[in-house]
Amino acid sequence: MITTFVLSLLPLVVLANYEECISVTPGTKMDQCCLVPSGLPKEVLEDCLETAAMNQVPNREARNSIICGYECFMRKIGVVVNQTIYIDKVEEYMAKLEPIARDSRIAAWKICFVNRLNLVAKAKMHPFLCYPFAYAVHYCVRAMVDQNCPPEYFNDTEMCRKIRAGVPFCKSPE
């Protein structure tokens, strides 16, 4: 479900300039290309997403719930607060992962840390109820993990190979 609403946010993270794009249809399992665990507390994310969904004004776009949920999540676990990414806190969470997964995740977070000013600029352009920087960071990390997925975690499908290559998702008509 999150995947559906997230697609309109893809312009927040520009990965490459390609003529082709990945078309996403209902039921697409794009979050199953790289099975490296996130290392972050899933129960906190679920709680924040549920709270954000319950607190939305009626008739608002569901994307706002996701953006607000990720802002809550990243702030609660202390890895992204306002416009700051705390790599030392990320490393604490990643410590419980096995070495290949840990190194993959930490490298992705560090790439997004380097690109944070670009993410801040793009986040400021979107009119959501909550500030979308935390979600932009989450999406950046996920994209970097997908593109640099260790072979033992990679789901080798045509779509996953495109994601790994940095081919962007097609914009959905609105």
Side-chain angles (χ1 to χ4, degrees):
M1 179 172 198
I2 291 174
T3 302
T4 307
F5 300 114
V6 167
L7 293 177
S8 66
L9 302 174
L10 294 177
L12 289 174
V13 180
V14 177
L15 302 173
N17 188 10
Y18 288 90
E19 290 183 18
E20 71 173 311
C21 62
I22 300 169
S23 180
V24 178
T25 57
T28 300
K29 304 271 187 202
M30 60 189 223
D31 60 344
Q32 295 179 358
C33 288
C34 187
L35 302 176
V36 171
S38 82
L40 302 176
K42 192 174 192 173
E43 62 281 352
V44 177
L45 174 60
E46 290 168 354
D47 182 55
C48 281
L49 288 171
E50 183 178 323
T51 300
M54 290 186 325
N55 291 328
Q56 292 302 309
V57 177
N59 299 322
R60 292 282 188 165
E61 292 184 37
R63 291 181 287 191
N64 283 312
S65 294
I66 294 166
I67 297 298
C68 293
Y70 271 92
E71 182 181 46
C72 163
F73 172 60
M74 296 290 198
R75 182 178 25 79
K76 274 190 175 182
I77 64 172
V79 297
V80 175
V81 180
N82 297 323
Q83 296 179 8
T84 305
I85 301 171
Y86 294 95
I87 297 295
D88 57 333
K89 193 69 174 169
V90 169
E91 290 173 337
E92 285 179 34
Y93 283 107
M94 300 305 127
K96 64 186 171 212
L97 298 177
E98 61 91 17
I100 293 172
R102 179 180 56 243
D103 294 347
S104 175
R105 284 281 171 182
I106 290 172
W109 276 91
K110 287 181 177 180
I111 290 168
C112 296
F113 177 80
V114 168
N115 293 319
R116 70 190 177 281
L117 295 179
N118 184 37
L119 296 174
V120 166
K122 290 181 185 284
K124 287 181 179 179
M125 296 178 352
H126 294 275
F128 295 106
L129 293 177
C130 297
Y131 187 51
F133 179 68
Y135 181 77
V137 170
H138 157 76
Y139 192 83
C140 176
V141 169
R142 184 172 142 202
M144 293 300 103
V145 169
D146 282 346
Q147 288 181 20
N148 300 293
C149 188
E152 56 270 36
Y153 288 99
F154 186 64
N155 183 8
D156 194 10
T157 66
E158 181 181 351
M159 182 186 66
C160 292
R161 285 190 298 275
K162 286 182 179 180
I163 289 172
R164 184 181 224 171
V167 176
F169 293 96
C170 302
K171 289 185 179 182
S172 58
E174 301 218 359

